[in-house]
Structures are given as structure tokens and as C-alpha cells.
Amino acid sequence: MKRESAADYDIKMENVRYSAPQRYYGTRILFVIRGSATISFGGRNYEMEESDILVVNRTNNYSVMGSEDNCIISLSISSQFFVAHYKEYFHYNFACFSKELDTGREGVIAQLRHLVAEIMIADSRKEEGNSLEIRSNLYQIMLMMTRFFKKEAPHWKGVDTSDERIARIIQLIEQRYAEPLTLSELAEYENLSSSYLSRYFKQMTGMGFLNYLNRVRIKHSLDDLLYTSDNLFQIAMKNGFSTAKNYTVVFKTVYQQTPAQYRKEHQHEQLEQHEALINKVEAKTVLDSPTILDRLASYLDVGIDQRYTVDEDHLEERRITLNSNEGQELKREKHIVFIGELKELLNENVKKQLILAKQQLRVDFVGIQKFFEETILSTEPELTELAVSLPIYTNTDIVLQFLKEQGIYLFLKLDYKQISQNEDFYIKKVDQFIQHALQVFGRDFVEKWQILFYSKEGNSVTSTELERIYLKVWQVIKHKSKKMKVGTFFPFDEKQEQLPENQQWQIKHADKIEFVGYETDQNEVINFDDINVEEFAKSHRYIRDKTKKTKLFMSQHQMDRPMFLINWNILTGNTRYINGTFFRGALILKKILELEGEVEGIGFWINNEIHERMQDCSNNLVDSLDLFHFFNEKHPTFYTMRFKERLRGTVAARGTDYIMTENEDGYQLIIFNERQFSPRYSIDELFVKNRSKELHIYLTGIKPGNYQIRTLKFDRDNGGLYPKWWNLNSKYGIDHELMDHIVQSISPSLDIKDEYLNEEWSFYALLNTNAIHLIEFRKAID
């Protein structure tokens, strides 16, 4: 097959024992697939082994010395081809040596190997149609080079890189530096006068034309000086200087020593070996062999990861300086898990979920909004004093004994609607239930319960009525136990910055309110059928702002009481489908961190099934966050809270998208990519992908030593529930085998490596939309 535009690129696979110093006016990627090689340029040696990749820039004069059986792929991309697709090509060099890349770039190098191997295989087949495959891979390689490895070229510092004319001039200087190039010749090339070009060039580059040209020539002369035995006159002639004396004067201006002194101090130790081999050994093309083909194919096993095509604007730096001396312990809010009714804990599956939540997330309270028995009806017979001795509490006692053993207390939600159905009967039942619990389980357990009087009534119920019922409940509870906490639901209107009229009795009786519960749901402030940017931006701050406004209002009315966020949610959309596609891990974490120190406790529901059943709803319940799905699959809420709870020790550093702690075992760092947008856009894969970002993190202040580094990644593909669920879903239903597979396959990814860390250390982390990464640096025990 005849290659189209052969000058655009070239690829070879060779056994290279030695190659004389050479320069390619373009970008060259060297990829060792067998044996070893030493690549020399720029005053240093790059020791390459099997699978190593090195980029040689257009400005580098390099030589190769390889092992006897090595095999090296050389992919050359011409400057003309590169600049045609990336106009700022001459502004940058590409710094890529696989052995020296920061942690976190392993996937990038794996993808680069994959692409080069594909080009080599396609080129060797010589079949029609391979040109498109090769060019497609070339474009991906160039995108990766500009995305991950570009560094500003030294001679471009201070240059206005947006000026196309100066770019053309610089390019011409790079191409013809070895010729007797003059200012007048360049001026004629650009249709300018010499005097104007002189002023213009100095203004744009910060130095005169001749000074700039000489610096380029000196830079290119270094390899001749270090890796050949040419005399100074030969080196001067080869690099555009008229005499050896002129070369020496300019060189000393740049390096503060003569070329001879520089050569003596830096010259390559193996120069004599190079010269001895130069006429004896040549590069030989490697013929196809099963071994080589198998080796190339092994690089194809690593699939292409499209995440590495994220736009370069999404690369952000984070410089984290540890300051453990001023660190404070993390504040731990209490966690309430709502189960609806106590009888749910007779279900072994629910019990297992609660135990898992207790172990990994901390559970302080179980929230119930109905007692163990069915909803009270006015036709029920009146209970007698003997009721406490009847076996009606048998199952209740089983559940309470379980909770006592787990160290979990009750958070009783007494709803005005339920009380009003049969007020005397209900309150008497509460009185007898608490009496029984105190008698059987003791004050140490029962007096840690919290009772919330919940009333979210409109103006149909008067303030006097709500006040009367609350005081009656208060009296009954306090008669049995003065230590048990009793509180109210606080329906604060953040827009009006006021309590509803029929709830203002709470201010009057602040002395009888020991805590408040409140709700925040971003879905309530968004019209998903007619969403606008301003409305959406306000919703992003809704939970934090409502919490702060509520707290301020209470303080102004001498109601400084602990606050429990019993129901809350971030944006979900209107359907379970959108709710599922919109991965929200980092959004939940961000809200939890914003509430740190502001609230006493936060509530969750145990699972979707109970939540929807208790709310008499199906398929569109979005007023709270659930820990589990309908079976035992974990919602993103579970893993988000697990990551947050895993943090321990003192806070050593904190930022808008990270928090780092120090403890007796080492350090922990959570980083996250919080991206809030309309959940409707979450079904657009390209939109979601473009919300990914890469962080280049620089850590300063780590205690030097050997560490085991554990990285847990939680994102849509690693721990996200719905993608796996939908892939295995069927209109004919899901059986236990499929459910078990989903449960077992959903979890954050885990990567472990050993590293010696200096006081300063850096790494890269690519975070998908709303992803969370937890990195643990565990000190090695000597």
C-alpha cells in the first residue's frame, strides 16, 4: 500500500545497537518493546527498558546505544503535520519519559503504548484502509501530547504566543539556525523593513534578533559539544557561527564558561565507546516474528480509555501544604437512619443493612414515625394500666434488645396527624411504651432517645392547637424522664425568613424545646420543566443557606438549640431514570462537609422499598437520601458517607475540593470533583464527560519515608449502582442470581502501590463527574 503524505509521519521497528547523533525536525516517540537502550541528549542519558516511552523534541540532537537484542519502535510526526492541527506547536516542547512521570499518569502511558502499537501493526499489514486507522491514532496521540505533556519551550518565555507573525519567524529560525540567517532576509520574508522588524522582534521576545538567534544556535550545539569529538571550529560551523572565537564568546555569555570548560565538565563518559561503535554497528529493521507480534499484541490488551481526551482546560493544580500543628479533630455529626416502623427490624435483610451501616457509617439513632403496632384508629379499645404487662411488646422487645446491643437509640417522630386521630389514646400509648422501655431496658438506654414533635400543617391547624398538643407530649415525656430530649419540627421559610404564623408558638416556648428538626430539599426550589441558569445557581447553595438562615433566626430569638437535618436531598430530576444517570457522590459529600459543625445530626432512609412504602409513593420519591436500593445494593449515599467516615485524625489541610488528615498510621486525602448541573443533562454522555477534570496535586510537608499508598476511586463506573443495574435489567424481571451479581460487583476500585515519599511529592488524579477519590498514605513499619 502506498502511504499518503509519507512526510507527515513515519514509523519503524528496529534493532538499534548504536545510532550516531541525529536530529529530526518534528516530534519523535521512542518505544522500547524488547531489551534496553540509552538515549542521550540535552546533557543527560535516559536509561530505557522494556515498555518505556520517551519523547524526543524537534530541538534535540540525540544518539542511541542499545542492547544486542533490543527492539525499538520509532514514531516520527513531522512539524508541518503537527502545526497544521495545533497552531501553537512551536510554542511548546513535550516532556514525556515513562520512568519519571508523576503517579496518576500510568493510564496515559498505557494508552500511548496502545496507540503506537496499533499504528505499528496497521503499518506493517500494508492493507487498504489502514491509512484511516493510522491517522485516527495519530490524532489521538497528538491530542494526548498537547493535553498531558506540553511544556513551554525555553525560548518562548515572555513571548506573546498569540501573535502568528512571531510564530512564523520563530519557526523559520528553528529550521534555518545553521545558515547565515540575517535580519534583512527575515524582514523581506515578512514584507517588513529591517528597522521595524528589529523593534517588533525585541518587543515581542524581550531580546534582539541576533541575541535570540545565537541562543538557539548555542542550544543546538550542546549535543555536538558533549557527544562528538569534533573540534570547536567544526561545531561552530555546523551550528551557524562564522568562527570558533565567535562561538566561544557567545557560549560564555550564556553559560559563564568556555565551551572547552563545559565539555570537560559535562562530556559523556562513554564518548569513546560511541565513536568505536559508530562505523561498526547500524540499526537493523526487525523482521516480523511471532515473539515480536505477541509483544505488540500485549499492549493492545490495555483498552483505550476515552477519559484521557478531557480538554486541557480541565487540568487544575492543587498545592497542599500540611500544617498538622494547627489541625483540629474532624467534627462528627450524629446519624439517624429512618426505618418507618420498629417492626421492620424483624426483617433479617433490614437488620443486616442496619448492622452494615452501623459498622461503616456510624448509626446513632434509628428513626421511626409509627409505633410497632398498626396506625391508631379511633375504634380501638382504650388501653388499661395493665397493658404494660401484656405480651403486646414481645416483638418490640426483640427489636429494642437488638438496638441496645448495637448501641443504637430511638429517634421517635410523633406526627400531629397521627396524634389528632385519637389524641388521648395515642398519648397514653406513648406514655405506656416509654414506661415499659424504662422498666425493661433501663434508663441508661432509654434516656438517650430523642422525641420529635412533627407538624408540617398549613393554616388549617391553629397555633393554639399545635401548642397545646406539644405541651401535652412534653409533660408526658418529662414525667417519665427528665433526661430524655424532646424537640419540635422547625418549618422555617428561608424566603420570608420567618416561621409560619401557626408555628410561632415555638419561640414562646423555647425553654421547653431541647432540639429542632428541619428539612431541606433542592428539588423544591427548581422547576424542572422550565429551568433557568439563575434559578439553578441559587439551588446549589440552598441547603447551606437555609441551614445558616435557620440557625441565625433561632439565635436571634434565643433558641440556640441543636439542629437535626431529618430529611434532605440534592437535585435528582423528576424520574428515577434521571435520578439514576445523575451520579451525585461528590455533591453529597460537599453538602455534608458544608454542614460540618452546623448541625447536630443528619438523617437518611434505610432503603427505597421501606421509604416508598411509608410515604405511600412509588417510582418517584426524591425527598430524602436512601442508603440501599430495593435489595442490598448500596446507593451512592452509602459509599459517600463511608469515604467521609473513613477519615480520622486531625485536619492537616483543607480546600474547596479536598480535605487531608494526619493520624498515627500516616495520612488520608479525599479529593472530589463536585459538578452540579441539571440532572436532565446527565443522560448526555458527552456533556457528562466534559465535566470531568484532572488534578495535579503537589503535597508539601509529608514526613519522608516508605509508604503504602491505597487509592479508592468512587464514581459512576466504580461503585455507581444504576449503570450496572440497567445493563442487567430485563422486562422479564431480575432473579436472585442477577441481584447477587449486582451486589457483589458494585464497589469502588482499589489500587495499592509502595512509594518512598519525600517532603515534597506530586501526583495526578483524573476524576469523572462527581467522583470521589480517597488516598491513604500508610507509613511502613521498619
Side-chain angles (χ1 to χ4, degrees), residues 462-501:
T462 67
S463 175
T464 303
E465 169 71 358
L466 293 175
E467 177 183 7
R468 183 185 67 80
I469 295 293
Y470 177 74
L471 293 177
K472 194 171 182 179
V473 170
W474 164 272
Q475 184 63 35
V476 167
I477 301 298
K478 290 301 178 179
H479 178 71
K480 288 291 187 289
S481 169
K482 294 188 180 301
K483 291 184 178 180
M484 195 178 299
K485 296 290 190 291
V486 185
T488 60
F489 176 70
F490 204 75
F492 180 74
D493 185 335
E494 73 283 355
K495 293 181 180 179
Q496 300 295 326
E497 297 188 2
Q498 186 61 271
L499 277 173
E501 185 176 345

Side-chain angles (χ1 to χ4, degrees), residues 385-429:
E385 293 297 328
L386 295 176
V388 295
S389 64
L390 296 177
I392 61 172
Y393 293 114
T394 301
N395 287 332
T396 304
D397 289 350
I398 294 173
V399 173
L400 291 179
Q401 182 61 36
F402 164 74
L403 292 176
K404 183 176 181 180
E405 291 170 355
Q406 296 295 321
I408 302 174
Y409 307 99
L410 285 189
F411 189 95
L412 299 177
K413 186 177 175 184
L414 306 186
D415 195 328
Y416 169 79
K417 285 185 177 180
Q418 294 182 34
I419 299 174
S420 63
Q421 292 178 33
N422 191 333
E423 179 185 327
D424 292 337
F425 181 87
Y426 189 99
I427 291 179
K428 189 170 186 179
K429 187 175 182 180

